[in-house]
Amino acid sequence: MRLILFGPPGAGKGTQAKLLEEKIGVRQLSTGDMFRNAIKNQTPLGVKVKAIMDAGKLVGDDVVVEMVAETISKPEYAKGYILDGFPRTVAQAEALDSMLSKRGEKIDAFVALEVPDEQLIARLVNRGQGREDDTPDKIKVRLDVYKKETAPVLAYYEGKGQARLVNGLGTIEAIQQRILDAVV
Ligand code: AMP
């Protein structure tokens, strides 16, 4: 199963992706986590993306696409994966389509978590992970970036008839069940 878990920052993609790993038996692939690890380990990639991430902006499409392409070719992702935080631009979605079609593969489901802005802001402010990009001014930048650059990705998958909208409000368990209902 190749699943895209889509939604604005604070929608609960990471939380849900981690829970779904066990339920559907494939791994979470979070581009944000990969970048945070690279920064923590001070790799060349980490050094390159730190300032962009801290500002709440998007890392360049080429860098992200190359990282995802490398990752999905690993044997542990052969059965599928839950994409969390990717694709975040239409260019990334197109690049994903082309890398999958070269491999004779496709996305099985695209699930968009819907959460109103006020709720997103409250969740991000309360997240308390000490993330550099979870401060009020960075949160505003990230929501603006989402609306301008990422929201069109939903229209892209709607155009392909693949998008399923899921209410992202409620308990973690209730939301998880809605996602499972949407993907089967
Ligand atoms: P996330 O953990 O998904 O909220 O991602 C945190 C940050 O990592 C984002 O604000 C971006 O700076 C960067 N990032 C993660 N995924 C992507 C992506 N697909 N394209 C561009 N930047 C990304």
Side-chain angles (χ1 to χ4, degrees), residues 35 45 48-49 52 57-67 86 89 91-92 149:
F35 288 135
L45 176 68
K48 189 164 164 180
V49 303
I52 302 170
K57 306 238 170 88
L58 291 186
V59 174
D61 289 333
D62 292 354
V63 174
V64 188
V65 166
E66 193 189 323
M67 183 174 80
F86 179 90
T89 63
Q92 291 178 17
E149 300 186 56

Coordinates of all heavy atoms in Angstrom, one line a residue, residues 35 45 48-49 52 57-67 86 89 91-92 149:
F35 N 14.7 15.5 7.3 CA 15.5 16.7 7.4 C 15.9 17.0 8.8 O 17.0 17.4 9.1 CB 14.7 17.9 6.8 CG 14.5 17.8 5.3 CD1 13.3 18.1 4.7 CD2 15.6 17.5 4.5 CE1 13.1 18.1 3.3 CE2 15.5 17.5 3.1 CZ 14.2 17.8 2.5
L45 N 23.5 17.5 4.0 CA 22.1 17.9 3.7 C 21.5 18.7 4.8 O 20.8 19.7 4.6 CB 21.3 16.6 3.5 CG 19.7 16.8 3.3 CD1 19.4 17.4 2.0 CD2 19.0 15.4 3.5
K48 N 22.6 22.2 4.7 CA 22.0 22.9 3.5 C 20.6 23.4 3.9 O 20.2 24.4 3.4 CB 22.0 21.9 2.4 CG 21.6 22.5 1.1 CD 22.0 21.4 0.0 CE 21.4 21.7 -1.3 NZ 21.9 20.6 -2.3
V49 N 19.8 22.5 4.6 CA 18.4 22.8 4.8 C 18.0 23.6 6.1 O 16.9 24.0 6.2 CB 17.5 21.6 4.6 CG1 17.8 20.9 3.3 CG2 17.7 20.6 5.8
I52 N 16.5 27.2 5.9 CA 15.2 27.1 5.2 C 14.1 26.6 6.2 O 13.0 27.2 6.3 CB 15.3 26.2 4.0 CG1 16.3 26.7 3.0 CG2 13.9 26.2 3.3 CD1 16.6 25.8 1.9
K57 N 10.1 27.9 5.6 CA 9.9 27.8 4.1 C 10.1 26.4 3.6 O 10.5 25.5 4.4 CB 11.0 28.7 3.5 CG 11.0 30.1 4.0 CD 10.7 31.1 2.9 CE 10.4 32.5 3.4 NZ 11.7 33.3 3.6
L58 N 9.9 26.2 2.3 CA 10.1 24.9 1.7 C 11.5 24.6 1.2 O 12.1 25.5 0.5 CB 9.1 24.6 0.6 CG 7.6 24.6 0.9 CD1 6.8 24.2 -0.3 CD2 7.3 23.5 2.0
V59 N 12.0 23.5 1.4 CA 13.3 23.0 0.8 C 13.0 22.8 -0.7 O 11.9 22.5 -1.1 CB 13.7 21.7 1.5 CG1 14.9 21.1 0.8 CG2 13.9 21.9 3.0
G60 N 14.0 23.1 -1.5 CA 13.9 23.0 -3.0 C 13.4 21.6 -3.4 O 13.7 20.6 -2.9
D61 N 12.5 21.7 -4.5 CA 11.9 20.4 -5.0 C 13.0 19.4 -5.3 O 12.8 18.2 -5.0 CB 11.1 20.7 -6.2 CG 9.8 21.5 -5.9 OD1 9.3 21.3 -4.8 OD2 9.3 22.2 -6.8
D62 N 14.1 19.8 -6.0 CA 15.1 18.8 -6.4 C 15.7 18.0 -5.3 O 15.9 16.8 -5.4 CB 16.3 19.5 -7.2 CG 15.8 20.1 -8.5 OD1 14.6 19.9 -8.9 OD2 16.6 20.8 -9.1
V63 N 16.0 18.8 -4.2 CA 16.6 18.1 -3.0 C 15.6 17.1 -2.4 O 16.0 16.0 -2.1 CB 16.9 19.2 -2.0 CG1 17.4 18.6 -0.7 CG2 17.9 20.2 -2.5
V64 N 14.4 17.5 -2.3 CA 13.4 16.6 -1.6 C 13.1 15.4 -2.5 O 13.1 14.3 -2.0 CB 12.0 17.4 -1.4 CG1 11.1 16.5 -0.6 CG2 12.3 18.7 -0.7
V65 N 12.9 15.7 -3.8 CA 12.6 14.6 -4.7 C 13.7 13.6 -4.8 O 13.5 12.3 -4.7 CB 12.3 15.2 -6.2 CG1 12.3 14.1 -7.2 CG2 11.0 15.9 -6.2
E66 N 15.0 14.0 -4.8 CA 16.1 13.1 -4.8 C 16.1 12.2 -3.5 O 16.3 11.0 -3.6 CB 17.4 13.9 -4.9 CG 18.6 13.0 -5.3 CD 19.9 13.7 -5.2 OE1 20.0 14.9 -5.6 OE2 20.9 13.1 -4.7
M67 N 15.9 12.9 -2.4 CA 15.9 12.1 -1.1 C 14.8 11.1 -1.1 O 15.0 10.0 -0.7 CB 15.7 13.2 0.0 CG 15.7 12.6 1.4 SD 15.7 13.9 2.7 CE 13.9 14.2 2.7
F86 N 5.1 14.9 2.0 CA 5.5 14.8 0.6 C 4.4 14.2 -0.2 O 3.8 13.2 0.3 CB 6.8 14.0 0.5 CG 7.3 13.9 -0.9 CD1 8.1 14.9 -1.4 CD2 6.8 12.9 -1.7 CE1 8.6 14.8 -2.8 CE2 7.3 12.8 -3.0 CZ 8.2 13.7 -3.6
T89 N 4.4 20.2 -3.2 CA 4.2 21.2 -4.3 C 3.7 20.3 -5.5 O 3.9 19.1 -5.5 CB 5.5 21.9 -4.8 OG1 6.4 20.9 -5.3 CG2 6.2 22.7 -3.7
A91 N 4.9 20.3 -8.4 CA 6.1 19.8 -9.1 C 6.6 18.5 -8.4 O 7.0 17.5 -9.1 CB 7.3 20.8 -9.1
Q92 N 6.5 18.5 -7.1 CA 6.9 17.2 -6.4 C 5.9 16.1 -6.7 O 6.3 14.9 -6.8 CB 6.9 17.4 -4.8 CG 8.1 18.4 -4.4 CD 8.0 18.6 -2.9 OE1 7.4 17.9 -2.1 NE2 8.8 19.6 -2.5
E149 N 1.6 27.1 -1.9 CA 2.3 26.1 -2.6 C 1.8 24.7 -2.5 O 2.0 23.9 -3.4 CB 3.8 26.2 -2.2 CG 4.4 27.6 -2.5 CD 5.9 27.6 -2.2 OE1 6.6 26.8 -2.8 OE2 6.3 28.5 -1.4

